[in-house]
Amino acid sequence: MFKKIGAVVLSVGILFSWVSLQASASKGNPNGNQGTDNSNKKVENVIFMIPDGFNAGYATNYRWYKGEDAVWDEHLKGMFKTYSANSRITDSAAAGTAMATGVKTNNSVISLTPEGNEIETILEASEKTGKSTGLVATSTITHATPAVFASHVDNRKKEDEIAKQMIENDVDVLLGGGKEFFVSKADGGKQEEDLIEEAVELGYEFVETRDELLNVDNVDIDGDDKLLGLFADQALVPELHRAETEQPSIAEMTETAIDVLSQDKDGFFLMVEGSQIDWAGHANDPVWAMTDVEAFEKAVEVALNFAKEDGKTLVVVAGDHETGGMTVGTRGSSTAEPDKLKGVSATGDFMANEINEDRSNVKEVVEKHTGFTLTESEVKSIQDAKNVAIAITSLLSKKASVGWTSEGHTGVDIPVYAYGPQSYNFVGLLENTDLPKLMAEAMKIDFNN
């Protein structure tokens, strides 16, 4: 009997120890089960990194593609819901609005309520406290996700109006594509007057090549200097082909943005979007998806390295929704082999553009860029296809056992990763509207949406 009593006491003791450990973790105790990246310290800087279109399917396939854990894996905290105010499947405008304002709106709407009222964004709230702000994207900088942080329009397609509002909103660092939305119509752009000239007058240094960006060294944030980098008329090219251009990588843009913004003694808010992970999902292109995730990971690594050294920076990584319904394995397959894509050197669109009109060079082009040996039936399937790019990406997906259920967005929940002071607050099943509220709470700024 005494042995049984002793066993019960021991079990209860172990249970209370475990509960205590969990409680310590929830309070930021570095010995808790949430890892060593938690504390209760006030957050001075937030770096919000959005891999557009990314979810657990992308994360798992990328882990197999890379051959080891991604840098964000150890910082997984929770999941969040993505539905918009008028649809169970959101678009990037509504999802971004929720993640920037803490309020759900209708698809296609940029930081307005469904009734059309403006909603303050976490970037604008940060500006009010004296913090510097920045936006980085591989799409046009006026695309839906960056737009929601610094503009308010009833339709995401109004990129010329978004560009004006971004400059008027005094965002300190703007880096991405979309030069045509800042240039006057007389010069082939979309504006009545040249916004770049206006930006320079307002204190922006303007750069438009990778070399110019990497040589930026005279932007004094405390002296009211700012930085505008527009590296393409429209979106940047996929990261897989970026080295063939004068455009910077997303990691290089992130590093420069942090270097500039971190001069501000009051802190900063920076949003970085890996825009084209989403576009790869729409195209069902597994190579484009994996290589853009890889490039995005390098940008996250830049942010984490800064946060680890700084000690006052919260890094949050969260896709806005999933795109393409990517699966790990396909019908009839018994394994997943995205690592087979490691040697592929071109996207499906790129290869399709190299195939001649009579499609006689299909075998030559695809084998050159993929390293795969194509069978006669595989060559013929591409030659006979209505859409050559889709036929190529379908072949690559099949070889890698990467499946797709859609060419659009899906409504699944999305993982959120967080590192830094108060990162433990992102645990559990959240709403996408919770993310900016938790960031504001961490920074102790007024944000009452």
Side-chain angles (χ1 to χ4, degrees):
M1 184 177 69
F2 287 111
K3 286 182 179 178
K4 288 182 180 178
I5 292 172
V8 169
V9 170
L10 179 62
S11 298
V12 171
I14 291 171
L15 176 61
F16 275 108
S17 295
W18 182 86
V19 170
S20 177
L21 187 61
Q22 304 306 303
S24 293
S26 70
K27 293 177 181 178
N29 186 327
N31 295 315
N33 73 336
Q34 293 299 319
T36 59
D37 59 346
N38 295 297
S39 76
N40 265 324
K41 290 191 299 186
K42 179 185 175 184
V43 170
E44 296 292 341
N45 315 305
V46 167
I47 305 175
F48 192 7
M49 309 201 70
I50 301 178
D52 199 306
F54 177 96
N55 87 326
Y58 284 77
T60 307
N61 272 322
Y62 178 67
R63 196 179 302 121
W64 290 119
Y65 172 86
K66 182 181 181 183
E68 60 185 17
D69 284 358
V71 296
W72 45 69
D73 281 334
E74 66 177 303
H75 306 301
L76 178 65
K77 293 296 184 289
M79 303 281 286
F80 61 91
K81 305 170 189 177
T82 64
Y83 64 93
S84 69
N86 68 340
S87 177
R88 292 177 181 177
I89 298 180
T90 189
D91 80 329
S92 290
T97 295
M99 295 166 80
T101 69
V103 177
K104 287 187 182 284
T105 194
N106 295 337
N107 286 359
S108 297
V109 175
I110 300 288
S111 293
L112 300 173
T113 65
E115 297 74 33
N117 300 315
E118 288 191 10
I119 325 167
E120 184 179 51
T121 75
I122 185 67
L123 181 146
E124 291 166 338
S126 298
E127 283 179 338
K128 283 184 178 179
T129 67
K131 294 184 185 296
S132 296
T133 58
L135 298 171
V136 172
T138 57
S139 61
T140 58
I141 196 62
T142 49
H143 212 256
T145 302
V148 298
F149 289 90
S151 67
H152 308 267
V153 295
D154 60 2
N155 193 296
R156 59 184 289 177
K157 294 180 180 179
K158 296 181 176 180
E159 293 188 63
D160 52 342
E161 177 58 29
I162 290 166
K164 286 182 186 177
Q165 291 190 31
M166 283 181 163
I167 297 298
E168 291 168 359
N169 219 338
D170 210 29
V171 182
D172 296 286
V173 175
L174 294 166
L175 303 175
K179 184 179 175 183
E180 67 177 357
F181 296 107
F182 292 79
V183 175
S184 69
K185 291 178 180 177
D187 294 320
K190 307 289 186 182
Q191 295 292 342
E192 294 299 329
E193 296 182 6
D194 198 305
L195 267 186
I196 295 174
E197 291 180 7
E198 181 181 328
V200 170
E201 290 173 3
L202 291 171
Y204 282 90
E205 178 175 345
F206 175 60
V207 296
E208 51 186 331
T209 67
R210 175 179 181 269
D211 285 346
E212 289 176 350
L213 179 73
L214 298 184
N215 286 312
V216 165
D217 60 2
N218 58 343
V219 177
D220 180 6
I221 285 289
D222 285 331
D224 291 329
D225 290 347
K226 304 175 187 67
L227 178 63
L228 173 63
L230 300 172
F231 308 104
D233 287 339
Q234 299 174 353
L236 306 189
V237 302
E239 292 269 6
L240 185 57
H241 302 294
R242 196 76 53 80
E244 302 157 25
T245 72
E246 294 186 336
Q247 301 169 6
S249 69
I250 187 171
E252 290 166 338
M253 290 191 288
T254 300
E255 186 165 14
T256 299
I258 292 172
D259 286 346
V260 171
L261 295 172
S262 60
Q263 299 174 42
D264 193 329
K265 61 182 181 350
D266 296 316
F268 66 86
F269 175 88
L270 171 65
M271 190 289 298
V272 178
E273 184 196 28
S275 317
Q276 297 186 35
I277 299 168
D278 169 69
W279 299 356
H282 283 295
N284 288 182
D285 187 329
V287 175
W288 189 1
M290 292 298 96
T291 52
D292 259 67
V293 171
E294 182 176 41
F296 181 77
E297 184 189 25
K298 292 175 182 175
V300 173
E301 200 163 13
V302 168
L304 289 174
N305 287 341
F306 173 80
K308 288 170 183 176
E309 184 176 341
D310 173 71
K312 299 173 291 185
T313 298
L314 172 65
V315 179
V316 179
V317 181
D320 51 352
H321 54 71
E322 195 276 346
T323 305
M326 178 188 276
T327 64
V328 183
T330 58
R331 182 174 295 167
S333 69
S334 58
T335 187
E337 301 180 298
D339 46 314
K340 283 187 173 181
L341 303 173
K342 284 291 282 188
V344 180
S345 61
T347 64
D349 282 338
F350 187 94
M351 285 184 263
N353 287 331
E354 285 196 347
I355 291 173
N356 56 32
E357 192 172 348
D358 65 5
R359 302 186 181 178
S360 60
N361 64 339
V362 164
K363 184 176 176 67
E364 174 192 342
V365 169
V366 177
E367 289 187 350
K368 177 181 74 173
H369 288 296
T370 66
F372 296 133
T373 299
L374 271 58
T375 65
E376 288 185 15
S377 63
E378 288 171 339
V379 172
K380 192 171 189 310
S381 69
I382 297 171
Q383 289 174 330
D384 295 343
K386 185 175 181 180
N387 185 306
V388 173
I390 291 175
I392 293 171
T393 57
S394 296
L395 173 66
L396 296 177
S397 294
K398 183 177 179 181
K399 287 185 177 294
S401 295
V402 174
W404 305 91
T405 66
S406 172
E407 292 178 352
H409 298 174
T410 64
V412 298
D413 297 340
I414 303 296
V416 56
Y417 310 84
Y419 172 87
Q422 302 191 49
S423 57
Y424 57 84
N425 286 321
F426 293 83
V427 170
L429 180 59
L430 307 171
E431 292 281 355
N432 54 5
T433 51
D434 291 328
L435 302 186
K437 295 173 184 177
L438 291 172
M439 293 175 197
E441 183 182 329
M443 290 188 285
K444 293 182 168 52
I445 62 175
D446 187 22
F447 189 64
N448 297 315
N449 290 345

